[in-house]
Amino acid sequence: MTKETIKKKNFGRWSKQVGWKYLVAAIMIVYAIFPILYILSTSLTDMGGIENKTLFGQFYLGNYRDLLASKSYPYRTWLWNTFFIASLTAIISVFISACAAFAFSRLRFKGRRPGLLALILVQMFPSVLGLVAVYGILSALTDYIPAIGLGTKWGLILVYLGGSLGAGTYLMYGFFNTVPKELDEAAKIDGATHTQIYFQIILRLVSPILAVMGLLSFIGTSSDYVLASIVFNKSSQYTIAVGLGTLISDPFSKNWALFSAGAIIAATPIVILFISLQRYIVSGLTGGAVKG
């Protein structure tokens, strides 16, 4: 048997066992990265259209300058609205979900198990089923409590909180169960109350899942279009998703270059936040699967 024959057999064996995995990985990487490169390339063109046949054929930064300085499109206001709503939603939802998860995990009370089952059942229904109800409730609240009615940031925040507490509580519940209850018992012997155990011991041990829930909540609310579009009706109230939608909503004056520039600017802080919290993501999502 010649060396060439041996090499061919070894290559064939390697291709069947390992090589196909590299091929699939390369295809998936190209599939994931190409849209990002295309949007980035479109944002650097001065044509205004999406007909970008050559990637990075131009390097025009005027779209970013025009978008940030535009008076027709208050992009900086959209950024602030998105940051305000997403940040408050993430902080409040993480706090309330953590409190509820602690109660389900550590306390024993009547209705505990039906409550957990209810959390699961509620998540089975898509949120789009509640759009009409959300609009009707906010419209009615506008007449009685205008601060949380249509066209208000707090009204949209309350809607987001209602949709995120179920999944957040159940995910945190599984992670809370991984914390040994002996720690609670030892703290009780030392005279600690449930509040002290929760804030001084448990929260420090479950910081990975808190970071993950905060990140998921921030990303979900900052990229939402449907709910924000039915709550806000003025350009100065829009979030990034709704505001950017107006750039391409007119079929006769679609400006894909400005849209792409706005998408790149909006995605940058989220990517930075994701990378900075990356070490918490795996442990936070898989920790609750060990014991639930």
Side-chain angles (χ1 to χ4, degrees):
M1 185 178 296
T2 62
K3 292 183 178 180
E4 294 182 358
T5 305
I6 296 175
K7 288 182 178 180
K8 290 181 179 180
K9 288 186 176 181
N10 291 337
F11 179 76
R13 188 182 302 111
W14 177 85
S15 299
K16 292 180 180 179
Q17 296 178 353
V18 182
W20 66 271
K21 298 179 182 179
Y22 288 96
L23 178 61
V24 173
I27 295 174
M28 296 302 296
I29 291 173
V30 173
Y31 181 80
I33 292 180
F34 179 77
I36 300 175
L37 295 178
Y38 193 87
I39 291 295
L40 180 60
S41 176
T42 303
S43 70
L44 297 175
T45 62
D46 60 350
M47 296 182 296
I50 200 171
E51 298 83 8
N52 185 16
K53 298 180 180 180
T54 304
L55 290 179
F56 302 104
Q58 292 179 305
F59 192 79
Y60 177 71
L61 298 177
N63 294 316
Y64 294 89
R65 182 183 63 253
D66 296 342
L67 186 62
L68 293 175
S70 175
K71 295 182 179 179
S72 302
Y73 304 108
Y75 185 78
R76 287 179 291 183
T77 302
W78 299 343
L79 276 177
W80 165 248
N81 293 340
T82 303
F83 177 79
F84 179 83
I85 293 172
S87 299
L88 280 183
T89 302
I91 293 172
I92 298 174
S93 64
V94 167
F95 177 75
I96 298 178
S97 297
C99 291
F102 176 78
F104 281 117
S105 177
R106 290 298 193 265
L107 306 181
R108 295 296 179 266
F109 52 89
K110 188 176 181 180
R112 172 179 169 272
R113 189 170 294 277
L116 288 172
L117 293 177
L119 291 177
I120 302 176
L121 293 176
V122 168
Q123 301 307 309
M124 295 176 62
F125 298 95
S127 59
V128 69
L129 295 179
L131 292 181
V132 177
V134 168
Y135 182 84
I137 293 173
L138 292 180
S139 179
L141 286 174
T142 305
D143 299 329
Y144 299 98
I145 314 176
I148 57 174
L150 286 175
T152 63
K153 295 183 180 68
W154 283 106
L156 183 60
I157 289 173
L158 290 177
V159 173
Y160 286 146
L161 290 177
S164 64
L165 293 182
T169 300
Y170 197 79
L171 183 61
M172 287 190 181
Y173 165 75
F175 199 94
F176 272 64
N177 286 340
T178 63
V179 179
K181 294 183 179 180
E182 289 77 7
L183 296 176
D184 302 32
E185 297 172 357
K188 290 178 181 178
I189 293 175
D190 293 335
T193 63
H194 285 296
T195 303
Q196 291 174 325
I197 294 173
Y198 174 71
F199 284 103
Q200 299 180 13
I201 299 177
I202 301 298
L203 284 186
R204 297 182 181 182
L205 297 175
V206 298
S207 57
I209 193 62
L210 300 181
V212 170
M213 283 306 305
L215 177 64
L216 295 178
S217 177
F218 187 90
I219 293 175
T221 53
S222 62
S223 61
D224 175 69
Y225 175 84
V226 178
L227 288 174
S229 64
I230 68 172
V231 173
F232 299 138
N233 52 17
K234 295 181 180 179
S235 180
S236 60
Q237 300 172 338
Y238 289 164
T239 59
I240 284 293
V242 181
L244 291 179
T246 61
L247 297 177
I248 56 175
S249 59
D250 190 347
F252 300 103
S253 60
K254 293 182 179 181
N255 196 323
W256 287 100
L258 282 181
F259 174 87
S260 301
I264 294 296
I265 296 174
T268 300
I270 296 178
V271 172
I272 295 174
L273 183 64
F274 186 87
I275 293 175
S276 62
L277 297 177
Q278 188 175 11
R279 63 192 184 97
Y280 293 106
I281 294 175
V282 176
S283 60
L285 290 176
T286 61
V290 178
K291 182 180 179 182

